[in-house]
Amino acid sequence: MNRVAATAGLAVAAGLAAHALPALTAYAPGRRALLPALAGTGPAGHVALTFDDGPDPASTPAFLRLLADHDVRATFFLLGTMLERDLGLGRELVAAGHEVAVHGWYHRCLLWRTPRATYDDIARARDLVGALGGSGGPRWYRPPYGVLTTGALVACRRLRLEPKLWTAWGRDWQASATPGTIVRTVTSTLVGGGTVLLHDSDCTSAAGSWRRTLDALPRLIHWTRNRGLRLGPLGEHELVSR
């Protein structure tokens, strides 16, 4: 009886390990070194600009205006729960030439979700983002918190989505973040060929955090251009693997 229980326990442990193993890619330094395509590494002369957690009518329009003023396009990873509230704003993103991608329906860590629930969440968001138009539907998927699971990878394969994380972030969701810390945090790891993660909504972040991100954005745009780097969406960031 003890042997049966031990065998069952080992089987459960192995299953949990297999489920959670892709979550190791959330460790950014290792991801950048070992999985450059997943991290968002592209050609040295380009930087991909990405935003998570929108679209939010309280904040996303301000990002649209600023990006238009600087002639920059970006990739927006949209939450289904946010997009459902304002499909018109999602269409504005597409009409402005930005790329829309999938961040899931709910902003929940996938480690605590079954493969079926994970698939349903991603598929539901994919379908709604796809309804916004654009060429060929959404191409990219970024999991909440950057935490992948085996179930998410299987779902992406079935849904023809490519998981995409980042090489540099601003930690702009934190209450302690300032425009200065956001710029310093991004540029501490950003090099040509990198992908930047920022947030155009505070729906899962400290209240009002998007304002600091918005204030930091012109400085980040100038930082990249002063180094001769072209800033744009992931679609222009032809990814390379090593």
Side-chain angles (χ1 to χ4, degrees), residues 172-176 201-210 212:
D172 56 336
W173 66 87
Q174 297 176 333
S176 60
S201 170
D202 63 2
C203 68
T204 66
S205 306
S209 58
W210 66 268
R212 298 183 284 275

Side-chain angles (χ1 to χ4, degrees), residues 51-56 60 76-80 82-83 200-201 203:
F51 295 92
D52 284 8
D53 292 357
D56 189 331
T60 302
F76 287 79
F77 284 86
L78 307 181
L79 282 173
M82 298 296 287
L83 179 58
D200 63 305
S201 170
C203 68

Side-chain angles (χ1 to χ4, degrees), residues 53-93:
D53 292 357
D56 189 331
S59 52
T60 302
F63 284 85
L64 282 173
R65 290 191 294 271
L66 189 148
L67 292 170
D69 289 344
H70 289 82
D71 193 26
V72 172
R73 292 183 298 121
T75 300
F76 287 79
F77 284 86
L78 307 181
L79 282 173
T81 50
M82 298 296 287
L83 179 58
E84 186 180 43
R85 298 174 188 175
D86 199 334
L87 282 171
L89 183 53
R91 294 189 185 99
E92 286 183 40
L93 287 168

Side-chain angles (χ1 to χ4, degrees), residues 117-198:
T118 296
Y119 177 86
D120 290 346
D121 180 278
I122 298 172
R124 187 181 180 190
R126 192 266 328 246
D127 290 347
L128 191 61
V129 173
L132 297 177
S135 57
R139 178 178 174 186
W140 319 105
Y141 169 70
R142 178 175 289 160
Y145 308 105
V147 176
L148 284 164
T149 61
T150 298
L153 294 177
V154 171
C156 284
R157 182 180 292 273
R158 290 177 60 190
L159 296 166
R160 298 183 179 181
L161 293 170
E162 186 174 347
K164 201 60 58 189
L165 300 182
W166 59 88
T167 66
W169 62 4
R171 294 185 177 272
D172 56 336
W173 66 87
Q174 297 176 333
S176 60
T178 67
T181 66
I182 292 168
V183 172
R184 288 193 294 274
T185 304
V186 169
T187 57
S188 67
T189 57
L190 181 62
V191 296
T195 291
V196 176
L197 162 64
L198 296 170

